[in-house]
Amino acid sequence: MKQYFGIDIGGTAVKLGIVDETGKVLCKGEQSVNFDGYQTPVLDTVRKAAKEFLTAQAIPVENLSGIGVSATGQIDSRKGIVAGTCGNFPNYIGSPIKAALEQDFGLPVTVANDANCMTLGEVWVGGAQGYTDVIGVTLGTCGATGCWERYAATTALVRAAQEKNPAWTDGRAIFAAAEAGNPEVLALLDAWTDEIAQGLAGMVHIFNPQLILIGGGVSAQQKLLIAPIAAKVKASVMPAFAQGLEVRAAQLHNDAGMVGAVYYFRQTMEEKE
């Protein structure tokens, strides 16, 4: 059975895994990409992490059929480079991901946007199997002033939370405080889910999907995040659009990007064979 190297480059971490041709993740790891405030270029960190991962897992490169990369930002998939980003993401635009990894490993490489890969992973082996019209959204790192990502990204929540309490440094800390019933955090979450729901409602009116899948590390928060967003989206759209609309967390959670990247690789490279 063929095996592939899936790499998911996010704004805070790179996730790495070996994925087989059925979409099963055989092993995986993760490493920070912003450990020094992005002074080390993200691609340098990814290349190092990829080599270390294969060494640690004792996986010979010749056992792999290719590398599928999911990457945050605007991705030029034909060239395999980062064409742009929303917001402040130093040392990332222009990164030649495809060329660098092909040079490092001597394997064919494809690169696609992370939200697209998340959705493709869910279509392949996750929560979107059998659906024809799906919107996938990842709640991750922030965007530029004035754009929806600036207010709906997880970093927007963290930024607002740290103004209230410096100890609330990430999603885990914030949701732990919410679980404990902290009224300040619950109010922040209510405002944040309003921002997310308003953006999604606009997408529903444009695309009329059967299903919205929400990915990113925080998507595991069903009660405090997914359920309120679902209720708010359905309340915000015209009744005909709300009928039959499902809003759910990505079933593959943090594996969705690397699985979808492998699916994209298989669809792009192997259909040519």
Side-chain angles (χ1 to χ4, degrees), residues 8 15-16 19 23 25 28 117-118 121-122 251-261:
D8 181 11
K15 303 171 190 71
L16 312 109
V19 182
V25 179
K28 59 184 176 180
C117 286
M118 182 273 283
E122 294 290 329
Q251 200 175 85
L252 302 176
H253 297 299
N254 268 346
D255 293 345
M258 71 174 82
V259 171

Side-chain angles (χ1 to χ4, degrees), residues 72-77 79-86 92-95 97:
T72 188
Q74 181 191 357
I75 305 301
D76 182 333
S77 290
K79 295 179 180 175
I81 65 169
V82 180
T85 63
C86 287
Y92 187 57
I93 293 175
S95 296
I97 298 170

